[in-house]
């Protein structure tokens, strides 16, 4: 709530070459008053902001000179240097714009000389031959054309040279891009240069005056030849699918622009472009230059993307306004629409789909422009009943719930423009009762409210025809919309629609009624349903209505607050009268009117609709009700009441004494909230209150300093500022006392979390930054020895959140906190941390990590640790804290590594003893924690860090080698290696042999006693089994014994692997890398990075324990992200090499392979997932495309049952990839193939394949229909229309139809026991998630009709659940108008009373289908509809004919 400090502007200083500097020095005068002196002083500055001041003085200085100054060599040289300065500055440097702005005001008599100098300098730039300098030259050309008169004139003078340079640069960039294939960093840079070059070429054509005439349009003109050359390059770029699509789309724009500029006569341009789009170019009738430059567009096979981008260029580059292109332009507009509709059924790549939606929206804009130019010939083609509008509506309905937000936004634009188009076609007529609008409104209202697109389209319709026509159809629409606001995914759409409707309604009522009586009708329509929800709705509804809808309503109609408060007060009083026998403060049993009142007041105050706190307490709500709300049994009432006290639209509003008392009252009873969401809201609201106190205290302090004692009462406070400040201080001290009292030993997690979070907010808000003279309160002043000890004891909590909060709070306090501890206690803290780091309890090592970090940052380490340093830190005073932290971190890490090295050596001899006495993962965790807090990119002790990093890597590998046999065991949960010191030579072999399970589980549950000097005999295994409680340790030369179980060994091993993986991943991510081996920069060498990659590869592909490979995946992801950004080409290509290697190993199915075929392929999916997810998203995603093709081919059915391992791996990997949200829409094109593989795999005779197929299918259902949000299995939220489903995945249409036919043919088998086809469940699971579309009934290649008979036959399944699913799946495939006939057909298939043989399953399945169809039909029709009543009568007659089935016992056959 405080005012943020404005960020200082950073400007890179300008520099000039040595020769220009010497020139300025030679011309500078002694007094320093001429232009050369000014520039010399300017370039000698190192601050860009100061240089701007001098640049602005150039023109005023030149204005003082007379016309004779044109011949002054000083001014001539200075103008030449200024031209050089301008061209040397980067495009985004503010100095460049300031210089251009100044030179635009240059006196006229200096312009010829300045233009000459600029032209000469620009010519030098154009002569450059360095390919990687082309971008700078191109940027200079661009900047010269942007609001810079001298630059534009210079480009005009050198137009031929500029065009030649652009042509040459684009050719060389394309060639260099081809040579650098595989180096995506260089390629990305080159493609961006290519994009800028194309854009600058377009800018020249649009802004240079020479192109407006026809003098250059001759074949021998150099400009014409360069233009033809550029057009040829653009055509080549458009057809090159290896380039970024942004580059291709810009080329499409450039091609149309160049054709528009070059082609003559202009009247034939629309026909030419239309023939190119329709691929019907007559090569004999087009000019030779066009054929030579665009031959691939005329004669070749144009890709879908190329046609799409040409459509974009057509709509963007041609002039559609005022009907300037005549009838041929209108024909081109219609042809473009048909081409786009054709592409919409073919394009499935997400990025191209996004382009297509934007282009279709652009087409509707162009159509509106043409219609506005009074084009009667297009009226029939573009009205609401035309085929084009029908296709556009179909596109909107198909994509209005697309996963991409941007695409959904385009459908809204399209729908809004469609309404505008139809209005233009019926202009002059009364368009409101127009059949198109009426039918559109009714079709939208018939849809379910769970469809997000319905809200958007209704909002557009309200803006077009007015809300009164919609309310005339159904007055309960506001209530219906409020009812669905319990679903979070629908809340934003519903609240936006409600806002659009109530705004439109108010405007309509005000225009229709002169008196104020309209407000009552408006309140009845919009406010009354809101109050009902606030009082009686469920918790989610109330919360979302308060957060989304109520603020919008009050912001638009603040006067409604009084009406709402009056209604709610009356309701509370009525309820209170009924409950006089229970007068306590928390007597309300439900949220009710009190909660609604608090919510309304809270929103009103937060948005500034209440003038002051006094108005709130005295006029609107009583003190008793405030207290009642603060301890109400419903958490949201408490939150709203607290929000009423804490929130304000003014950050400097004084907090009253009553508010402070109520806050103290609230904290007393609400710190122990069990709900995380409630705790978060409490802490957030209290932080807002503290910000108000801090901001208002600054105002009060200034008032006190200005000696306002004798002034009358001001508007901020009615008492003296010093009194208010003292009240603030007392209040904050009281709050802190309450919070520290809550941190007693044994306090609950929720209490500690709340108290520490609030204390952290206090320390953050009431800090003393530089420049602030006064702060009303400082937490450090209230910290004594006892409270410091209380915070330190929070480190012992078993919850890491508490440790984090305590650590952060201690860091925010003054470093004087360490004075509460003497050196002996600090030494004890350090020793305790070291001991905790080897505890067998995992949370103890987390405590150790925070303790060590606290000692590091407080500079409170024992002096004995300084022996670990060989180089002292040299630092300035400003860098001293960072240097001290680096020194302390280095000492602690060396100490931990020394201990870890000794423990790893012992573990190499006896892993069991290590697991029981000193599990090593704690040491690694502490090392990782210390490094995470350190800025590893700005280390000073680099020479000391390098050997530490090297040793740390080797130590990690050693530790991993010790524990990996357990993790890589086929059964790590039960493996317990038996080893002793005397058997160190055969230790590894014994671990690899793996002790096998015995007859009972006692072997794995009870402890084993290891004797230090006794040999271990496999035959004496049973003798070594003792009770788990046995644990002794005899010192000296006596026998040592320790208890250890398989679980302890496993925990030690997988946690060690976890910590090593996280450490290595963090080192790769944070440590600077050496560019070359001998470089003094960086800490990680290229070889070390490769070794880390090999480590991750080995353990991800061979580990069996999920905890181990999941955490290894986390570290590996960090490594792959670094490799993909690395400029080193050999490192950059490592992920690709690793990917091909593992794919080959999967395909070969070698029996000797160590890849895990069980445990859902263990770490293999994670490994491939990390490699693909880190691939740059802005590129072509080639790795993903190739990998998916390989996996899809492997996942398909195979004839060889013996070699199903590759298929299982492929199915498991596909599951992981489809679940990965980072791949986003890039994975969608492969959903159809994945679904085919899953459904076909479900029929495999091999259990492993069926199991993996089931898991894959589950992931695909989530990917297609979204994450399940409702508990109801048949909820309508995770569904889509059949038209949308088959439009997005057209390949599934014939596949599902064929599979369904196969399934249906097996249902009615007469061969004894019915054949239960395994794929039936999967097929029906997909089909039942579809629902009817508003466009059902229109012709479509993806007709739902063929599915109907097969689904009906599936309803005869002997499996009850399958019959239910078939009944639900049938509904979306039958159009609403066809439901009565379908029901009659189904009823006719039921047996008659004369039939002797029938099956109960068939009857039950048919009746279920009739029931669901009838239910859908009644929901879609109004009960008073005469057609509905007639159809219902016919169905009733048919049903009565089959009532005999209910009057006799049926045979269950």
């Amino acid at each position: 709530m405080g005012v943020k400090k404005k960020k200082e502007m950073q400007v890179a200083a300008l520099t000039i070459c040595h020769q220009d500097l010497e020139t300025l020095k030679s011309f500078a005068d002694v007094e320093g008053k001429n232009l050369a002196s000014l520039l010399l002083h300017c370039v000698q500055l190192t601050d860009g902001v100061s240089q701007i001041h001098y640049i602005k003085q150039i023109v005023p200085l030149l204005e003082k000179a007379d016309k004779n100054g044109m011949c002054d060599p000083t001014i001539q040289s200075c103008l030449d240097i200024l031209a050089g300065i301008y061209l040397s500055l980067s495009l985004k440097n503010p100095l460049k714009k300031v210089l251009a702005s100044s030179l635009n005001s240059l006196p006229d008599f200096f312009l010829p000389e300045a233009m000459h100098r600029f032209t000469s300098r620009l010519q030098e730039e154009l002569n450059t031959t360095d390919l990687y300098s082309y971008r700078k030259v191109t940027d200079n050309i661009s900047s010269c054309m942007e609001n810079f008169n001298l630059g534009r004139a210079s480009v005009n003078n050198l137009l031929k040279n500029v065009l030649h340079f652009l042509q040459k640069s684009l050719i060389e960039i394309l060639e260099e891009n081809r040579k650098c294939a595989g180096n995506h960093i260089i390629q990305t840079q080159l493609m961006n240069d290519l994009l800028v070059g194309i854009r600058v070429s377009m800018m020249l054509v649009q802004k240079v005056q020479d192109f407006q005439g026809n003098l250059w349009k001759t074949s021998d003109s150099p400009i014409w030849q360069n233009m033809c050359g550029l057009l040829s390059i653009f055509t080549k770029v458009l057809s090159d699918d290896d380039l970024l699509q942004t580059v291709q789309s810009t080329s499409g724009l450039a091609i149309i622009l160049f054709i528009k500029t070059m082609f003559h006569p202009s009247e034939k341009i629309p026909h030419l472009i239309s023939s190119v789009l329709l691929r019907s170019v007559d090569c004999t009738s087009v000019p030779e230059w066009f054929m030579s430059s665009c031959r691939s567009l005329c004669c070749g096979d144009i890709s879908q993307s190329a046609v799409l981008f040409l459509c974009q260029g057509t709509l963007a580059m041609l002039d559609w306004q005022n009907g300037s292109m005549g009838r041929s332009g209108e024909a081109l507009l219609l042809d473009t629409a048909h081409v786009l509709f054709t592409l919409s059924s073919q394009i499935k790549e997400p990025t191209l789909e996004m382009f297509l939606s934007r282009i279709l929206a652009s087409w509707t804009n162009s159509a509106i422009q043409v219609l506005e130019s009074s084009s009667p010939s297009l009226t029939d083609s573009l009205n609401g009943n035309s085929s084009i509008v029908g296709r556009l509506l179909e596109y909107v309905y198909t994509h209005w719930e697309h996963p991409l937000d941007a695409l959904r936004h385009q459908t809204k634009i399209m729908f809004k423009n469609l309404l505008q188009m139809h209005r233009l076609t019926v202009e002059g007529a009364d368009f409101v009762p127009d059949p198109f609008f009426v039918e559109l409104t009714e079709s939208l209202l018939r849809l379910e409210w769970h469809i997000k697109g319905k809200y958007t389209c209704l909002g557009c319709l309200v803006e077009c025809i007015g809300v009164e026509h919609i309310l005339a159809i159904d007055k309960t629409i506001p209530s219906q919309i409020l009812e669905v606001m319990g679903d979070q995914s629908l809340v934003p759409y519903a609240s936006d629609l409600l806002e659009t409707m109530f705004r439109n309604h108010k405007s309509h009522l005000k225009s229709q009624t002169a008196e104020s009586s309209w407000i009552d009708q408006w309140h009845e329509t919009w406010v009354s349903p809101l109050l009902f929800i606030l009082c009686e709705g469920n918790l989610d509804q109330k919360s979302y209505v308060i957060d989304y809808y109520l603020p919008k309503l009050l912001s638009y109609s603040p006067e409604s607050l009084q009406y709402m408060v009056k209604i709610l007060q009356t309701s509370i009083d009525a309820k209170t009268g009924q409950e006089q026998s229970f007068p306590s403060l928390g007597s309300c049993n439900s949220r009710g009117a009190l909660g609604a009142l608090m919510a309304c007041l809270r929103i009103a105050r937060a948005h500034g609709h209440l003038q002051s706190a006094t108005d709130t307490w005295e006029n609107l709500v009583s003190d008793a009700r405030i207290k009642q709300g603060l301890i109400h049994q419903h958490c949201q009432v408490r939150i709203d009441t607290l929000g009423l006290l804490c929130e304000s639209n003014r950050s400097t509003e004084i907090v009253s004494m009553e508010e402070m008392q109520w806050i103290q009252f609230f904290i007393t009873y609400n710190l122990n909230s069990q709900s995380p969401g409630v705790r978060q809201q409490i802490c957030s609201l209290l932080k807002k209150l503290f910000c108000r106190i801090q901001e208002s205290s600054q105002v009060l302090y200034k008032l006190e300093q200005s000696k306002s004692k004798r002034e009358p009462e001001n508007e901020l406070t009615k008492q003296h500022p010093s009194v208010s400040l003292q009240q603030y201080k007392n209040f904050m001290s009281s709050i802190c006392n309450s919070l520290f009292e809550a941190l007693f030993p044994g306090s609950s997690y929720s209490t500690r979390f709340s108290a520490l979070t609030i204390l952290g907010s206090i320390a953050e808000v009431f800090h003393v930054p530089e420049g602030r003279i006064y702060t009303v309160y400082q937490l450090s002043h209230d910290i004594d020895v006892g409270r410091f000890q209380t915070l330190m004891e929070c480190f012992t909590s078993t919850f890491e959140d508490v440790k984090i909060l305590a650590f952060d709070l201690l860091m925010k306090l003054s470093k004087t906190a360490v004075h509460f501890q003497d050196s002996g206690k600090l030494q004890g803290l350090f020793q305790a941390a070291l001991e905790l780091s080897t505890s067998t309890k995992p949370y103890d090592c987390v405590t150790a990590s925070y303790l060590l970090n606290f000692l590091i940052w407080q500079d409170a380490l024992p002096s004995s640790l300084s022996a670990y340093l060989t180089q002292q830190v040299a630092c300035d005073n400003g860098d001293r804290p960072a240097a001290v932290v680096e020194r302390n971190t280095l000492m602690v890490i060396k100490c931990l590594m020394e201990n870890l090295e000794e423990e790893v050596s012992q573990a190499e001899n006896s892993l069991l003893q290590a697991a029981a006495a000193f599990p090593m993962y704690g040491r690694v965790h502490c090392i990782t924690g210390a490094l995470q807090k350190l800025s590893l990119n700005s280390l000073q002790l680099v020479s000391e860090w390098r050997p530490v990093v090297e040793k740390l890597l080797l130590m990690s590998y050693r530790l991993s080698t010790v524990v990996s046999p357990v993790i890589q065991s086929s059964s790590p949960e039960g493996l317990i290696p038996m080893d002793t010191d005397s058997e160190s030579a055969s230790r590894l072999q014994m671990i690899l042999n793996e002790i096998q399970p015995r007859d009972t589980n006692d072997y794995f549950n009870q402890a084993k006693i290891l004797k230090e000097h006794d040999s271990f005999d496999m035959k004496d295994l049973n003798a070594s089994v003792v009770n788990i409680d046995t644990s002794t340790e005899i010192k000296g030369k006596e026998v040592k014994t320790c208890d250890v179980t398989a679980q302890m060994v496993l925990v030690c091993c997988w946690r060690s692997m976890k910590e090593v993986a996280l450490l290595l991943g963090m080192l790769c991510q944070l440590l600077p890398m050496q560019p070359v081996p001998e470089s003094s920069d960086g800490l990680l060498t290229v070889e070390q990075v490769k070794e880390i990659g090999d480590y991750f590869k080995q353990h991800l592909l061979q580990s069996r324990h999920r905890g181990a490979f999941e955490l290894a995946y986390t570290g590996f992801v960090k490594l792959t992200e670094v490799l993909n950004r690395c400029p080193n080409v050999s490192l950059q290509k490592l992920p690709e090499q690793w990917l091909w290697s593992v794919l080959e190993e999967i395909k070969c199915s070698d029996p000797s392979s160590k890849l895990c075929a069980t445990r859902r392929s263990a770490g293999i999916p994670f490994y491939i997932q990390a490699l693909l997810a880190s691939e740059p998203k802005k590129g072509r995603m080639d790795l993903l495309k190739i990998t998916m093709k390989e996996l899809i081919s492997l996942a398909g059915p195979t004839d060889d049952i013996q070699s199903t391992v590759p298929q299982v791996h492929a199915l498991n990997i596909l599951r992981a990839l489809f679940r990965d949200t980072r791949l986003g829409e890039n994975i969608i094109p492969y959903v159809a193939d994945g679904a085919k593989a899953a459904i076909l795999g479900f029929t495999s005779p091999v259990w492993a394949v069926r199991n993996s197929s089931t898991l894959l299918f589950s992931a695909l259902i989530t990917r297609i229909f979204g994450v399940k949000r409702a508990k109801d299995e048949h909820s309508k939220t995770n569904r889509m229309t059949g038209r949308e489903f088959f439009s997005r995945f057209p390949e599934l249409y014939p596949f599902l139809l064929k599979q369904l036919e196969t399934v249906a043919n097996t249902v009615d088998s007469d061969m004894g026991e019915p054949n239960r086809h395994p794929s039936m469940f999967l097929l029906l699971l997909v089909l039942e998630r579809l629902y009817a579309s508003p466009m059902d009934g229109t012709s479509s290649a993806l007709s739902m009709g063929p599915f109907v008979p097969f689904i009906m036959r599936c309803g005869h399944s002997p499996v009850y659940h399958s019959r239910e699913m078939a009944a639900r799946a049938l509904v979306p495939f039958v159009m609403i108008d066809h439901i009565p006939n379908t029901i009659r057909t189904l009823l006719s298939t039921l047996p008659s009373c004369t039939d002797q043989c029938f099956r109960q399953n068939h009857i039950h399945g048919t009746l279920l289908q009739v029931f669901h169809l009838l239910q859908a039909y009644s929901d879609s029709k109004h009960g008073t509809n005469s057609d509905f009543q007639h159809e219902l009568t016919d169905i009733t007659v048919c049903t009565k004919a089959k009532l005999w089935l209910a009057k006799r016992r049926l045979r269950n056959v």
Side-chain angles (χ1 to χ4, degrees), residues 538-565:
N538 61 51
L539 182 60
D540 288 338
Q541 272 183 316
K542 295 176 185 177
S543 301
Y544 295 139
V545 166
I546 290 170
D547 292 340
Y548 288 86
Y549 179 51
L550 185 58
K552 294 179 179 180
L553 186 72
L554 288 177
S555 296
Y556 182 67
S557 179
E559 63 272 15
S560 299
L561 178 64
Q562 293 292 338
Y563 170 81
M564 298 166 73
V565 170

Side-chain angles (χ1 to χ4, degrees), residues 1376-1431:
I1376 295 297
D1377 296 335
H1378 293 176
I1379 285 181
N1381 288 333
T1382 306
I1383 291 176
R1384 284 191 287 267
T1385 302
L1386 286 169
L1387 290 174
S1388 67
T1389 63
L1390 291 174
S1392 63
C1393 57
T1394 58
D1395 292 338
Q1396 298 299 319
C1397 183
F1398 41 81
R1399 290 183 176 175
Q1400 187 172 349
N1401 289 333
H1402 292 195
I1403 298 171
H1404 178 249
T1406 302
L1407 291 175
L1408 276 176
Q1409 292 174 5
V1410 170
F1411 170 74
H1412 283 281
L1413 285 172
L1414 194 58
Q1415 191 176 47
Y1417 188 63
S1418 62
D1419 290 343
S1420 64
K1421 298 288 184 180
H1422 296 287
T1424 57
N1425 189 303
S1426 59
D1427 292 337
F1428 173 76
Q1429 297 292 338
H1430 176 70
E1431 297 289 357

Side-chain angles (χ1 to χ4, degrees), residues 91 131 134-142 145 162-174 188-206 226-227 230-231 233-234 237 246-247 250-251 254-255 257-258:
L91 183 64
L131 184 141
Y134 287 166
R135 174 63 180 273
K136 178 175 174 292
V137 181
T138 308
D139 286 341
N140 278 327
I141 297 172
S142 173
M145 300 300 296
V162 170
L163 289 173
H164 177 72
F165 166 79
L166 290 172
Q167 182 182 355
K168 178 189 70 169
S169 64
L170 293 179
I171 292 173
E172 293 184 18
I173 290 172
L174 281 171
T188 300
Q189 177 186 341
L190 290 171
M191 289 187 204
N192 285 326
D193 294 347
L194 186 64
L195 178 64
V196 172
I198 297 172
R199 286 176 175 170
V200 171
S201 302
M202 296 171 61
M203 182 188 294
L204 285 176
V205 173
Q206 291 172 315
N226 288 325
M227 291 285 285
L230 286 170
L231 183 57
I233 294 171
F234 300 153
V237 170
T246 308
V247 179
T250 309
S251 297
I255 288 172
L257 176 63
F258 272 52

Side-chain angles (χ1 to χ4, degrees), residues 942-1001:
V942 177
S943 59
E944 291 233 16
W945 278 107
R946 276 192 183 139
V948 169
V949 170
E950 184 177 357
K951 187 176 180 181
L952 191 56
L953 292 176
L954 295 176
M955 194 73 61
S956 299
Y957 300 148
R958 281 183 61 193
L959 173 56
S960 178
T961 303
V962 173
V963 300
S964 59
V966 175
I967 300 303
Q968 294 174 8
S969 163
S970 61
S971 179
E973 294 82 4
L975 173 64
I976 178 165
M978 295 285 100
D979 52 11
T980 65
D981 292 343
S982 61
E983 295 178 326
S984 58
S986 59
R987 174 188 55 82
L988 182 59
Q989 187 61 43
M990 291 186 63
I991 291 176
L992 294 178
N993 286 337
E994 299 182 15
I995 306 293
Q996 298 299 316
R998 296 307 193 261
D999 293 332
T1000 67
N1001 290 329

Side-chain angles (χ1 to χ4, degrees), residues 509-521:
L509 291 175
K510 290 177 72 174
S511 64
Q512 297 292 321
T513 310
E515 301 83 16
S516 60
S517 59
W518 62 267
I519 192 67
D520 296 330
Q521 183 181 349

Side-chain angles (χ1 to χ4, degrees), residues 41-161:
H41 190 62
C42 176
V43 299
Q44 288 175 339
L45 294 172
T46 57
D47 178 23
V49 177
S50 302
Q51 288 178 332
I52 290 177
H53 174 70
Y54 282 91
I55 292 294
K56 291 180 177 179
Q57 298 180 30
I58 293 174
V59 173
L61 188 62
L62 288 175
E63 287 176 343
K64 296 178 182 179
D66 54 18
K67 294 184 179 180
N68 296 328
M70 289 187 297
C71 302
D72 186 349
T74 301
I75 293 180
Q76 291 176 351
S77 298
C78 289
L79 288 174
D80 184 64
I81 292 172
L82 283 173
I85 290 174
Y86 180 83
L87 296 175
S88 67
L89 292 170
S90 64
L91 183 64
K92 295 184 179 180
N93 193 323
L95 277 167
K96 199 178 190 83
K97 292 183 178 179
V98 172
L99 183 55
S101 177
S102 298
L103 294 177
N104 279 340
S105 305
L106 203 64
D108 293 342
F109 47 83
F110 285 118
L111 287 178
E113 182 63 28
M115 190 181 302
H116 169 69
R117 299 294 179 174
F118 262 86
T119 303
S120 300
R121 288 278 188 162
L122 183 58
Q123 180 62 62
E124 293 176 11
E125 290 274 307
L126 295 174
N127 292 335
T128 184
T129 57
D130 180 16
L131 184 141
Y132 290 95
S133 299
Y134 287 166
R135 174 63 180 273
K136 178 175 174 292
V137 181
T138 308
D139 286 341
N140 278 327
I141 297 172
S142 173
S143 61
C144 284
M145 300 300 296
E146 291 286 349
N147 302 320
F148 185 31
N149 299 331
L150 276 177
R152 189 180 294 110
S154 300
V155 171
N156 272 320
N157 293 339
L158 297 172
L159 182 58
K160 178 182 67 175
N161 307 70

Side-chain angles (χ1 to χ4, degrees), residues 765-786:
V765 172
F766 296 98
H767 67 296
V768 188
E770 295 181 6
R772 179 175 288 176
I773 302 174
Y774 174 83
T775 185
V776 69
Y777 178 75
Q778 288 188 49
L779 179 61
S780 57
H781 293 168
D782 278 349
I783 301 294
D784 54 17
V785 177

